Amino acid sequence: MEYFALLQELNECHAPSGNEGELANRLAELARPYADECYTDTLGNLIVHKKGRGPKLLFAAHMDSIGLVVTHIEQDGYLRIGKIGGQALHSILHTPFRFQNGTMGVLVLSEKVKEKDLTMQDLYLDIGAKTKDEAETRVQIGDTAVSSMPTFCMGSRISAPYMDNHISCLVLLEAIKRLGTTENDLYFVFTVQEEVGLRGAKTAAFQIEPDYAVAVDITSAHEPDSKFQCSSILGGGAAIKVMDASVICHPQMVELLTQLATEQGIPHQKDVITLGGTDAGAIHVSRQGVLTGGICVPCRYIHSPVETVETSDVESCIRLVHALAKEPLQTVDKRS
Ligand SMILES: [Zn+2]
């Protein structure tokens, strides 16, 4: 797969919500040669600006991933942990986690509890420490850990723990590389803290005041028995968001993206999910409102350590982001 090495590199960065700095630095290095300016704001959002004389168009992809945080260290060296973002406990049980300093651990269940009854309180992170003192030489209360499952290919698909949302960071990065000069004033924002409440997107949208915005994220693709909750399928092309639980996209944006995809022969599908949200949810209600849409990479097994995407869909999303960035947009009269 063309982008496999890049994705693997992004996945090696430690970037749970609130600690995205390592990934932001790497993305800034990769984007800087193609940008007019590249900076981070107070919360840590990375803003890659490509200047144009036309209206402001903001693309947002969140950098943060879900993870774990240390809440308590037991006398026998086990760590008690809390969740950062929406973790499905059954899917992370007996899987490896890593801390920013390289400390590894495995998530295990108290022997007294049956797997079907497990709650967060029944889980321990075992980092191989025999005592509390030994554990404290490696980790502290408040340290964060992320999944350490591998990134690997399965036929034309790739599986990794952080497709949500490193794959969309990759989509924006590849689109930036292909841009050349543009009329639109383009802001590619790699946001922080999406998984804990779309927090970075709020301040970024307020600061930039875009005329148009598109959130780029993954979306649920059909798994066995899930067809009533989501519309998209793997291999069906770029998923053009109609709605999720955080946003009903502006019809003008849905139409524009659909028209561009059709004209340029980009495989695409309409995306409706009844659960879950994206940065679009925060951006569309910023200030007096923003014309907002979404471009999504269909993904199976979301918020598990084996999130899976189809490579052809990734390419379709890059092409659609690029097509919109290059499309001469009309200035928006916000009081018509
Ligand atoms: Zn996401």
Side-chain angles (χ1 to χ4, degrees):
M1 186 250 181
E2 204 184 336
Y3 315 109
F4 185 79
L6 176 57
L7 182 66
Q8 208 164 23
E9 190 185 337
L10 300 182
N11 285 348
E12 279 163 18
C13 295
H14 185 81
S17 307
N19 273 287
E20 300 86 350
E22 203 176 303
L23 181 57
N25 289 342
R26 189 65 195 114
L27 288 167
E29 278 169 23
L30 293 164
R32 194 166 281 122
Y34 308 94
D36 293 309
E37 55 175 348
C38 219
Y39 58 96
T40 46
D41 68 9
T42 311
L43 287 198
N45 293 305
L46 169 66
I47 295 146
V48 176
H49 186 193
K50 183 109 175 90
K51 291 180 183 166
R53 288 170 305 172
K56 285 183 187 174
L57 168 59
L58 182 159
F59 289 96
H62 71 88
M63 293 184 284
D64 62 308
S65 56
I66 54 178
L68 301 175
V69 59
V70 178
T71 56
H72 178 77
I73 302 175
E74 301 279 0
Q75 288 303 330
D76 53 9
Y78 285 111
L79 311 183
R80 295 294 197 151
I81 32 86
K83 294 194 275 189
I84 298 174
Q87 296 271 7
L89 299 184
H90 284 92
S91 74
I92 56 174
L93 179 61
H94 300 138
T95 65
F97 276 79
R98 68 165 192 262
F99 288 85
Q100 190 158 21
N101 66 5
T103 298
M104 294 291 298
V106 288
L107 198 65
V108 293
L109 180 61
S110 162
E111 282 177 14
K112 299 184 208 92
V113 177
K114 290 202 179 78
E115 222 173 290
K116 68 176 179 44
D117 301 322
L118 84 101
T119 68
M120 202 68 207
Q121 285 71 39
D122 307 314
L123 293 171
Y124 299 87
L125 199 60
D126 181 354
I127 58 167
K130 296 172 197 74
T131 63
K132 184 177 183 184
D133 287 348
E134 187 186 343
E136 283 174 342
T137 63
R138 296 184 218 159
V139 298
Q140 304 295 316
I141 302 283
D143 283 357
T144 53
V146 293
S147 174
S148 190
M149 291 285 268
T151 303
F152 57 93
C153 292
M154 301 192 291
S156 59
R157 296 176 180 171
I158 327 171
S159 176
Y162 317 112
M163 288 302 176
D164 185 7
N165 193 28
H166 293 182
I167 198 67
S168 305
C169 295
L170 182 149
V171 165
L172 289 196
L173 202 55
E174 290 298 319
I176 291 167
K177 288 183 190 170
R178 298 179 191 181
L179 273 178
T181 55
T182 67
E183 269 303 302
N184 300 320
D185 195 23
L186 300 174
Y187 290 83
F188 295 89
V189 184
F190 298 88
T191 63
V192 296
Q193 300 192 40
E194 190 268 356
E195 296 289 359
V196 289
L198 323 179
R199 296 174 191 169
K202 283 194 185 93
T203 60
F206 185 87
Q207 173 196 168
I208 292 165
E209 253 188 287
D211 298 287
Y212 301 86
V214 171
V216 183
D217 208 327
I218 52 139
T219 189
S220 301
H222 280 183
E223 296 166 21
D225 308 323
S226 67
K227 63 186 169 191
F228 300 115
Q229 280 90 46
C230 61
S231 62
S232 292
I233 55 166
L234 286 196
I240 297 171
K241 185 178 287 297
V242 176
M243 69 171 283
D244 61 34
S246 72
V247 66
I248 296 169
C249 290
H250 199 287
Q252 201 177 316
M253 292 304 287
V254 178
E255 197 184 314
L256 177 59
L257 289 168
T258 307
Q259 189 192 331
L260 282 172
T262 306
E263 280 169 11
Q264 302 196 17
I266 302 169
H268 61 285
Q269 55 191 327
K270 291 271 173 66
D271 185 60
V272 180
I273 54 173
T274 54
L275 300 168
T278 58
D279 278 340
I283 298 167
H284 81 293
V285 290
S286 182
R287 292 182 183 261
Q288 66 272 60
V290 178
L291 288 171
T292 302
I295 297 174
C296 300
V297 184
C299 182
R300 282 186 184 166
Y301 323 125
I302 290 178
H303 285 199
S304 84
V306 291
E307 295 175 334
T308 300
V309 302
E310 179 70 50
T311 51
S312 61
D313 293 333
V314 179
E315 177 62 23
S316 299
C317 289
I318 297 168
R319 290 177 63 197
L320 190 51
V321 168
H322 179 259
L324 180 64
K326 296 292 269 186
E327 176 72 9
L329 296 172
Q330 303 297 314
T331 305
V332 178
D333 182 354
K334 293 180 178 171
R335 295 186 54 164
S336 62

